[in-house]
Amino acid sequence: MPDASDKPTVITTHINADFDALASLLAAQKLYPDALVAFPGSQEKNLRNFFINSMVYLLNMADIKDIDFSRIKRLVLVDTRQPNRIGKFAELLDQPDIEIHVYDHHPPMANDIRGHHEVHQLTGANVTLLTKILQERKIEITPDEATILCLGIYEDTGSFTFPSTTADDFQAAAFLLNQGANLNVVAGLIDREISPTQVALLNDMIQAAVPYSINGIELTLTTVSTDDYIPEFAVLVHKMLKMEKFNAIFAVARMGKKIYIVARSRVPEVNVGEILAGLGGGGHAYAAAATIRGKTLVQAEHLLLEVLFRHVAFRRRARDLMSAPAITLDFSASCREAGQLLTRYNVNALVVTRQQNGQKDPVGFITRQIIEKALYHQLENVAVHEYMSTDMATVGPDADLTEIQDKIIENKQRILPVIEGEAIVGVVTRTDLLNILVHQSERGAKREGDLRPDPSYARARPVLKFMRERLSAQLFDCLRTIGQVAHELGFQAYVVGGFVRDLFLYRPNDDIDIVIEGDGIAFARKYGKMMGARVHTHAKFGTAVLTLAEGFKIDVASARMEYYQFPAALPTVEMSSIKLDLFRRDFTVNTLAIRLDPGRFGTLIDFFAAQRDLKDKVIRVLHNLSFVEDPTRVFRAIRFEQRFGFSIGKLTAGLIQNAVKMDFFSRLSGRRVFAELRQILEEETPAPAIVRLNDFDLLKVIHPSIQLSKELVTDLSAVTGVLSWYDLLFLGESYMKWAVYFLVLTRSCDAGTTVEICSRLELAPRYQKIFTQERFEADRCLYWLERKFPLKNSKVFSRLSGFKTEPLLYLMAVTRSEQVKRAISLFFTQLRNTAVEMSGQDLKEMGVAPGPIYRDTLQAVLEARLDGRLQSLEEELAFARTFVGRRRAPAEKPLSAELTAQPPAAGPEGGSAPREPEP
């Protein structure tokens, strides 16, 4: 390898170089024979191998690390003029003594590098330009060199099939063939076999493909995700384009922590080079790529859609330009009502309709200016038809821009209805027309307000059959009725969130969340009245809870009603408010929705690739500031991860670590932290989630003194076993599952620390009593029990009967004594419910005067019964007579244990009844 320090000229290209860039380096080397070539490397495996095996002897290669930048006097750039694509060499651009030569075939861009010597021409391959210069200068080319140059042309023109191919490319290839280029070698490298991993990725791309209609142009967007980089992604995109015959395709792939976008186009309206330049990438009109960092897959997809709306050229038809749905006003409505409608939707004109034969027929239009004058003159109660303009033109959905422009301008018409059949399907306003014309003349400029900020497209597929299979007939009919009632009110209804997620995870979930595009409270009241359900509303939030007769609950929320004035297709507009609602949710897997309206009942809506994440078993946030906005989402991420056996995505895990590092959790109220912790502790097996909290250093959010240890994990796991045993007893008694785990979680904390934790979490006084008093009493009881065995049942009863269920289960989980476990088990199954048959009336009939002796006698009878010495009422009465008699005697002994009126029944541990199986 030549000494890099002796060469003042360096030739380089763009990062992630392809064959065209490689061939251009070789051609430039022929023009600058004394220059060094600094190859930036490539992620394409075949290109690396080809370069290593075939190119070393042809180029004066230097590793960029060996180059002394201070000695460079001339920088030669090939196949690029973008400063962000030449890596470290961009440092040389601002040095005045560096001479820059550029050979590039990409379309000009605003931030192009300006060279002292520039060769630029729009050709299919960059090496075509250099080959032409070599030919003109009659520089000799060997067959090996000709083969490499030819390879660059074949790759970048798609073997002369790409629309960007020019006559110069053909002529350059012909010249190289005459110089001995070997097409067998070219074909072997161009037609690369793809690996099984690439085949699987290609299949995922095909399955995830979603068609879009943007500005009248049909194109396809697909998104895929993999934790590892998979080479030759661009090759896969090209194969998919050829297989599916798309107009244009945009493939967005998350590989590791980066987002890669590769685009191909067949139509002039979709200039992918211009589009991806807006995302920091570049390329030609028909082939381009970009790399995005610091964004989630969802964010990258949204960003791409925004750019597409700015740059995809219009095919000017009314159906593509109209605003929908059309906002109409009945001709009998008052001017006051018209003014309210204009204000509500912030529009300047309304179509006036008249109901005839069940159809709304357009009869005129009225403008804000006319209504404001009518209201000024106190004509608010006059019908709008008195002042509307009746001379109104209309167009069909396929009307072109010229017809639309003529009718709006020549008729001085502020609003133009679009009629399909007999229905008004939308309107084109004068503002719409102005936006369209400005957009065309300044396309590519980034202006505020000239595009929809959040284009709403979704993956949709029918799941009606699946719903029938998975849901009960009652629940299925309930959802259908919800959709019908919403439809009758003019609303759209969706079942969303966890219910839909669990439907596809084959998990039971009867918590139904309904989102209404419209007035959710109005819907809840009508549905509740029809079904005889109780309705509890929250007007401030537009929500309601329906409680049906059988105790079944339905949560109802209102999605904001949006009206988009920028031209858009109907499906986009009708999806917009539901998408805004779903975008506010925590993770992609919780953003699925199913339409319930009669016309499209059972259509699954997936805006954020939730189906893919369910398939990949990954928890991902929707945007990078998710945990900044709501740090409690971290707890939910861990809870869902452990519940479903998923994993937290790499980017999401990084964002959690960032949230911990930035200490966003200090802003949270204790009440919110407790709410999330409680839900974790109510999971079926909380121990793994506690371990994950520790992995992310989140236990300190509860309190710094809580430290994960093997003993803590063992005790938490023991609680799970104890609770499973207790639930199988079917005692029908409710208890707080989370509290048992919380008792274990704080077991290592002293009294003062426990009080701090309860105060920090803002626990209710009844909970604080369990953790700050009863736990310590339980620990003292456990200490005593473990040292006093064997014990009679009456002693066990007296020690345990004062505790609630939660501390008892806590004791059963943390004790290492099998005797204590058996004793607590026996207490739950037998001792706790033991009662005497006799009563104070029996003592009265014995002639015993009322007094403390009643209590003492009944207690002595209970103890004897617990210890198995009494089995019937008769035995109890006989025991009581003896007990009372001895109490009356001068030398009576107070302890009932000394009574021998009944011999102990056979059984272990002081005559106890047979024990229940231990947990």
Side-chain angles (χ1 to χ4, degrees), residues 837-869:
E837 295 185 44
M838 66 175 293
S839 65
Q841 182 64 32
D842 294 314
L843 292 175
K844 187 176 182 181
E845 292 175 359
M846 292 180 190
V848 180
I853 195 170
Y854 273 46
R855 179 197 61 212
D856 296 342
T857 303
L858 292 174
Q859 178 63 29
V861 171
L862 175 61
E863 290 176 0
R865 192 163 187 112
L866 286 166
D867 292 337
R869 291 181 287 156

Side-chain angles (χ1 to χ4, degrees), residues 256-408:
K257 292 186 177 181
K258 294 182 183 179
I259 304 294
Y260 299 91
I261 302 178
V262 174
R264 297 290 185 267
S265 173
R266 299 177 188 270
V267 294
E269 291 88 353
V270 184
N271 185 327
V272 295
E274 181 181 288
I275 290 168
L276 293 192
L279 298 177
H284 310 283
Y286 302 100
T291 301
I292 298 177
R293 295 175 176 83
K295 300 286 185 183
T296 65
L297 195 60
V298 170
Q299 289 174 305
E301 185 177 355
H302 286 196
L303 194 61
L304 174 60
L305 285 170
E306 289 183 8
V307 176
L308 287 172
F309 270 91
R310 268 199 298 271
H311 290 285
V312 172
F314 280 92
R315 283 183 178 168
R316 297 171 291 274
R317 297 177 298 170
R319 70 171 71 252
D320 306 315
L321 310 179
M322 67 186 184
S323 300
I327 299 174
T328 62
L329 181 71
D330 189 81
F331 89 119
S332 63
S334 67
C335 291
R336 179 191 292 109
E337 292 171 313
Q340 292 171 345
L341 205 59
L342 289 164
T343 300
R344 177 182 178 185
Y345 290 108
N346 192 29
V347 293
N348 294 314
L350 295 168
V351 176
V352 181
T353 62
R354 186 169 187 172
Q355 193 82 16
Q356 296 183 16
N357 299 323
Q359 184 72 39
K360 288 183 178 180
D361 295 331
V363 293
F365 69 94
I366 195 156
T367 65
R368 181 185 293 274
Q369 184 182 23
I370 296 298
I371 290 298
E372 288 177 348
K373 287 183 178 180
L375 296 178
Y376 176 78
H377 291 293
Q378 300 181 350
L379 300 174
E380 60 270 12
N381 295 320
V382 177
V384 292
H385 68 78
E386 299 289 348
Y387 302 110
M388 69 181 183
S389 300
T390 57
D391 186 12
M392 181 176 65
T394 64
V395 293
D398 293 320
D400 61 18
L401 183 61
T402 301
E403 181 182 353
I404 293 168
Q405 183 174 329
D406 288 346
K407 289 188 174 180
I408 287 179

Side-chain angles (χ1 to χ4, degrees), residues 204 225-227 254 501 504-507 587-590 609-621 637-650 652 692:
D204 288 343
S225 180
T226 176
D227 288 336
R254 183 194 67 83
R501 175 201 67 213
F504 289 94
L505 290 176
Y506 292 86
R507 298 173 63 94
F587 309 109
T588 58
V589 295
N590 291 330
Q611 295 172 86
R612 182 194 59 228
D613 286 345
L614 286 176
K615 176 186 174 185
D616 294 343
K617 297 185 176 183
V618 177
I619 301 296
R620 290 195 179 97
V621 291
I638 291 172
R639 176 158 55 91
F640 290 142
E641 177 192 47
Q642 298 305 313
R643 179 195 295 178
F644 303 132
F646 284 17
S647 62
I648 295 175
K650 285 186 177 180
T652 301
R692 285 294 273 161

